[in-house]
Amino acid sequence: IVRIGRPRYCRTDKTTTNPAMATASNPKIITLEEGWNEEIKKKAIDVLEDMLDNGLKEGAQNMFAAKEYVQIYTTCYDMCTQRSPYNWSRDLYQRHGETIENYLVKTVRPALQDKVGQGGTILLTELQYRWSNHQIMNKWLKKFFTYLDRYYVKHHSLPTLNQAGLKHFKTQIYDAMKPETTKAILTLIDEEREGEIIDKTLVKSIVELYEAMGMSSLDAYTADLEVPLLESTREYYVKKRDEWIVQDSTPDYLIKTEKALGDEQNRVADYLNGASGTKIQRVLEEELLEKVQMQLLEKEGSGCRVLLANDKFEDLRRMFNLFSRLEKGLPPLADMV
């Protein structure tokens, strides 16, 4: 663990006003373009972006060795502690944001757009990869520019470096791609409902991205995923209800309904936010039970009275349990006893 404090050669209260002059007590002033282009961009940002795109160099254990990190941190520190007009805190904060934004716009967004139309799993896998890379970039830039967070950001009541990085990702990537990514998630969920095997870990990681885009709230997840999910869930089970009510007996219909309720509960536990659980259950209760209750109870050859007459206790127990989920589900059942 490398602990960074005040570099021992940093100026204290005396600073030369001529960038070209330097003495032991007055180190050379670092100009903005010199510090940015020759140190920060060349030795940190360009290297970081290359590793994100191409991976670590062979034999490398970490993205930056301790010595490299200290050198870059020190340059940032010095540039932020020089006296005016050579204090570059505001400029470095701005360029921190521009660096992230440029990478997202020029590299990440085109890579994602290239995957649209190739299948939901392919698109979401690319998004997962790019989101993971963004978190790495955000982490390292925050480490390099730590002094900005500690002083400049606090003094000017600005978003922290981490918050700024998340906002850039939300604006440039999430907001631009969410129509396609939400569609991909919903398609995979419907495929799983039809018995296909999907990558649940992948879906869970993308759901977590939606949660993160709310910036400590579930606003983004709720508006951008949960609302469309509830709509697509309703559409899916309306079709199933219309099929089952025609082709199945009342006991068989209720068996399928019971299974659907359990499957959706498991789905929430596997990869959705827990807050969606009761809302999804309510959609199924409305579409599969409430809207066809009397049809099921009175169904010829398999309705409630037929089950009672033939002592079908297991089917009756299931019927009671399911209709008891509805606010007014039991009185119609009691009228038939």
Side-chain angles (χ1 to χ4, degrees):
I1 299 176
V2 178
R3 299 190 180 276
I4 302 298
R6 184 182 183 91
R8 66 176 183 273
Y9 52 79
C10 266
R11 63 213 57 70
T12 53
D13 25 351
K14 290 185 179 181
T15 303
T16 178
T17 58
N18 186 346
M21 297 175 59
T23 66
S25 60
N26 288 304
K28 177 187 174 183
I29 292 293
I30 304 174
T31 66
L32 177 60
E33 298 307 324
E34 175 193 2
W36 180 261
N37 292 324
E38 297 303 318
E39 293 292 329
I40 299 173
K41 187 175 187 303
K42 182 178 179 180
K43 298 178 181 179
I45 293 170
D46 290 348
V47 174
L48 177 59
E49 291 183 357
D50 180 69
M51 285 189 285
L52 291 178
D53 293 338
N54 303 307
L56 289 174
K57 294 179 181 179
E58 187 175 354
Q61 298 296 318
N62 298 299
M63 301 189 78
F64 293 92
K67 184 177 180 180
E68 296 171 320
Y69 164 57
V70 170
Q71 180 180 353
I72 298 162
Y73 170 91
T74 301
T75 298
C76 295
Y77 178 96
D78 287 350
M79 292 177 71
C80 292
T81 54
Q82 295 175 152
R83 290 197 176 182
S84 181
Y86 303 109
N87 186 297
W88 308 120
S89 296
R90 178 174 61 84
D91 301 83
L92 291 186
Y93 184 83
Q94 180 178 344
R95 292 193 182 192
H96 165 272
E98 291 172 350
T99 295
I100 294 176
E101 190 169 26
N102 288 339
Y103 182 75
L104 293 174
V105 171
K106 295 178 181 179
T107 301
V108 177
R109 194 195 299 167
L112 287 165
Q113 291 172 334
D114 185 58
K115 299 298 186 293
V116 174
Q118 297 187 30
T121 299
I122 293 175
L123 174 61
L124 296 182
T125 299
E126 183 70 21
L127 179 60
Q128 180 190 46
Y129 168 67
R130 296 297 175 175
W131 170 236
S132 176
N133 275 1
H134 177 74
Q135 291 174 296
I136 294 171
M137 172 178 261
N138 227 16
K139 180 191 77 172
W140 276 105
L141 291 183
K142 179 181 178 181
K143 286 165 72 73
F144 294 141
F145 294 101
T146 293
Y147 193 81
L148 284 175
D149 252 350
R150 288 179 179 171
Y151 297 97
Y152 181 76
V153 166
K154 286 184 178 181
H155 183 71
H156 292 84
S157 300
L158 295 169
T160 66
L161 299 180
N162 185 62
Q163 290 169 340
L166 285 177
K167 287 181 178 179
H168 286 303
F169 189 92
K170 183 178 189 300
T171 301
Q172 300 300 334
I173 303 302
Y174 176 78
D175 288 343
M177 298 302 302
K178 67 185 179 184
E180 296 295 336
T181 57
T182 298
K183 179 181 177 182
I185 294 171
L186 299 183
T187 298
L188 288 176
I189 291 175
D190 277 349
E191 289 176 359
E192 187 185 35
R193 287 168 174 159
E194 289 297 320
E196 296 184 34
I197 296 175
I198 67 170
D199 188 342
K200 297 180 182 181
T201 302
L202 172 63
V203 176
K204 182 177 177 61
S205 70
I206 303 303
V207 168
E208 290 171 349
L209 187 159
Y210 276 70
E211 294 168 342
M213 291 300 99
M215 312 293 174
S216 302
S217 79
L218 287 178
D219 291 349
Y221 169 85
T222 300
D224 300 330
L225 182 58
E226 185 181 77
V227 170
L229 172 61
L230 294 175
E231 293 174 356
S232 70
T233 299
R234 190 177 299 277
E235 292 172 2
Y236 179 86
Y237 283 107
V238 164
K239 293 178 182 178
K240 290 300 179 184
R241 178 196 69 203
D242 292 345
E243 293 175 10
W244 298 347
I245 199 69
V246 172
Q247 67 187 26
D248 293 322
S249 65
T250 293
D252 288 343
Y253 180 101
L254 295 178
I255 288 172
K256 290 181 177 179
T257 297
E258 186 177 56
K259 182 179 184 303
L261 287 163
D263 289 345
E264 294 299 330
Q265 187 174 15
N266 292 335
R267 195 160 287 117
V268 171
D270 286 341
Y271 51 74
L272 295 172
N273 186 279
S276 300
T278 56
K279 299 173 187 177
I280 293 174
Q281 293 287 304
R282 184 56 188 148
V283 168
L284 268 67
E285 291 165 0
E286 289 175 358
E287 299 301 336
L288 298 181
L289 294 171
E290 194 171 288
K291 293 185 178 180
V292 290
Q293 181 174 12
M294 294 312 300
Q295 286 177 261
L296 291 168
L297 293 178
E298 297 173 349
K299 197 172 183 68
E300 186 176 355
S302 63
C304 182
R305 289 193 176 93
V306 174
L307 298 180
L308 285 168
N310 291 279
D311 296 332
K312 298 291 185 179
F313 299 120
E314 184 177 348
D315 293 329
L316 288 166
R317 186 180 301 109
R318 180 179 297 107
M319 179 180 286
F320 175 85
N321 289 337
L322 289 174
F323 286 125
S324 67
R325 299 169 69 104
L326 307 180
E327 184 179 354
K328 299 179 181 179
L330 293 181
L333 190 61
D335 291 342
M336 295 196 170
V337 176

